[in-house]
Amino acid sequence: MAPRPWGEWSTALSHLALGAVSLHAAVSTAQASRGAAAGFLLQALAAATMLVPGLGTDEDHLAGAWVATVIGLPLLAFDFHWVNGDRSSANLLLGGGMVLAVAGDHLGAEGRSVASQAVVLVVAVTILIVAVFTTNTYGMWGGVMLGAAGLLSRLEEDRLLLLPKEDICCWALAAGSWAYHRALHTQRLQWE
């Protein structure tokens, strides 16, 4: 068996990190917040499908990433807004994600790409705004990292900082997931 090239190891490591961070966040938030735990779990499952060769086609991986983006991220935002008393924004974000999930089959590849980017940026910005007003530093970092992952994924370059662009995005998502997990924990402690 031939050794794997660095690019394959880099991709596997970044998806493993994203999956592990997201799974840990899902397990540790399950008692306090079922919505956020479900969002983290969707991210972990999408990352895990990329780790197992032959588990599915590229289309299956894209479908997993689509679900993790348009349902998982709004679930995270829903809980963050809900905990901070912003019920209308929470419901609007979650409802918008559900509508996009249902309408995904009617969008072309470019339409799904634009829609997923919009979801990522809206979730990142709204959580960042709430975090700034509640002085939740972890929420601010989570918003910045998620926004960075969304913006980096739109770049034309295939490589950034000597790594594949997809890997950099996974590392940013992993950091953002860790920060959101800490932000939710911090907010829950403040309200208790």
Side-chain angles (χ1 to χ4, degrees):
M1 186 165 146
R4 293 177 130 183
W6 166 246
E8 287 183 33
W9 282 109
S10 171
T11 299
L13 187 60
S14 66
H15 282 90
L16 181 64
L18 176 58
V21 167
S22 297
L23 186 60
H24 170 72
V27 169
S28 60
T29 58
Q31 284 297 98
S33 168
R34 303 264 190 241
F40 285 127
L41 185 60
L42 286 171
Q43 281 187 324
L45 290 173
T49 61
M50 296 297 289
L51 292 173
V52 181
L55 184 63
T57 63
D58 285 341
E59 213 167 281
D60 292 337
H61 298 307
L62 290 174
W66 169 256
V67 169
T69 301
V70 299
I71 296 176
L73 292 179
L75 279 167
L76 295 176
F78 173 85
D79 196 61
F80 196 74
H81 285 276
W82 194 271
V83 165
N84 287 293
D86 188 3
R87 310 271 194 279
S88 59
S89 294
N91 288 323
L92 185 63
L93 286 166
L94 187 58
M98 295 302 134
V99 167
L100 275 176
V102 170
D105 288 341
H106 302 291
L107 299 172
E110 185 63 28
R112 280 192 298 276
S113 176
V114 169
S116 66
Q117 291 303 309
V119 169
V120 168
L121 292 178
V122 166
V123 165
V125 168
T126 61
I127 289 180
L128 183 59
I129 290 169
V130 170
V132 166
F133 283 114
T134 60
T135 62
N136 186 323
T137 307
Y138 290 117
M140 291 179 218
W141 276 110
V144 167
M145 295 309 291
L146 182 58
L151 292 174
L152 287 173
S153 69
R154 294 300 290 173
L155 292 177
E156 297 290 328
E157 315 301 320
D158 287 337
R159 299 184 77 72
L160 301 168
L161 302 173
L162 303 176
L163 292 172
K165 175 177 65 172
E166 179 183 351
D167 298 352
I168 300 288
C169 291
C170 281
W171 285 111
L173 284 174
S177 291
W178 178 83
Y180 280 145
H181 166 251
R182 298 300 311 151
L184 287 168
H185 180 73
T186 302
Q187 284 306 111
R188 295 226 179 261
L189 288 177
Q190 285 180 350
W191 289 101
E192 290 177 356

